[in-house]
Amino acid sequence: MSHCCTFTISNNCPYTIWPGTLAGSGSPPLQTTGFLLDAGQSVRIPSVPAGWSGRIWGRTGCKFDANGVGLCQTGDCGGRLQCDGNGATPPASLFEITLGSGNEQDFYDVSLVDGYNLPIFAAPRGVHGSCNATGCSSDLNL
């Protein structure tokens, strides 16, 4: 399978978040399935394979021990830093994507079907054609 994309996840919130990732059925897990991201930081996840599908979301209010065991107030994924195949416990704002392979199209959206916990915004970069940014950049909890 060829590699086609790099995801850049940025924390524009004034507090720490813990992004989680979940690969869809038939897609390999990304190189990380959970990590800490301080306010103002960005992380690049390179070498996302063509044809990959899955979800990325932010978790809030997390506390983990040295073994990565703990809980998050929102978006928890099985009580661990690394989600390892567990999805987000609602409420969680989701970025969902399916990457095409070859000349196939990519499909992506921001979903609030599992509730809302963070403003989330997705903007494709370095693509050809008309690709729109999408998201919910307002804090719906205010």
Side-chain angles (χ1 to χ4, degrees):
M1 186 173 280
S2 65
H3 294 102
C4 75
C5 298
T6 297
F7 292 150
T8 302
I9 302 171
S10 300
N11 180 3
N12 296 322
C13 297
Y15 46 83
T16 300
I17 63 169
W18 290 260
T21 69
L22 175 65
S25 178
S27 289
L30 296 179
Q31 69 184 65
T32 182
T33 61
F35 54 94
L36 179 144
L37 197 56
D38 285 324
Q41 284 188 323
S42 293
V43 167
R44 290 171 46 95
I45 301 175
S47 302
V48 179
W52 189 85
S53 70
R55 293 176 163 188
I56 301 172
W57 67 96
R59 300 174 283 170
T60 63
C62 301
K63 292 187 180 169
F64 299 105
D65 66 17
N67 296 317
V69 176
L71 288 173
C72 298
Q73 291 175 349
T74 67
D76 191 64
C77 60
R80 303 203 43 94
L81 174 61
Q82 295 291 326
C83 294
D84 292 329
N86 291 310
T89 300
S93 309
L94 305 171
F95 171 64
E96 303 172 314
I97 188 165
T98 298
L99 300 173
S101 56
N103 291 330
E104 294 182 32
Q105 295 179 336
D106 300 331
F107 296 91
Y108 55 93
D109 65 74
V110 167
S111 173
L112 303 180
V113 69
D114 285 346
Y116 171 89
N117 71 327
L118 288 168
I120 188 168
F121 184 77
R125 298 209 171 133
V127 295
H128 301 287
S130 176
C131 296
N132 295 323
T134 186
C136 179
S137 57
S138 297
D139 186 344
L140 298 180
N141 290 322
L142 293 178

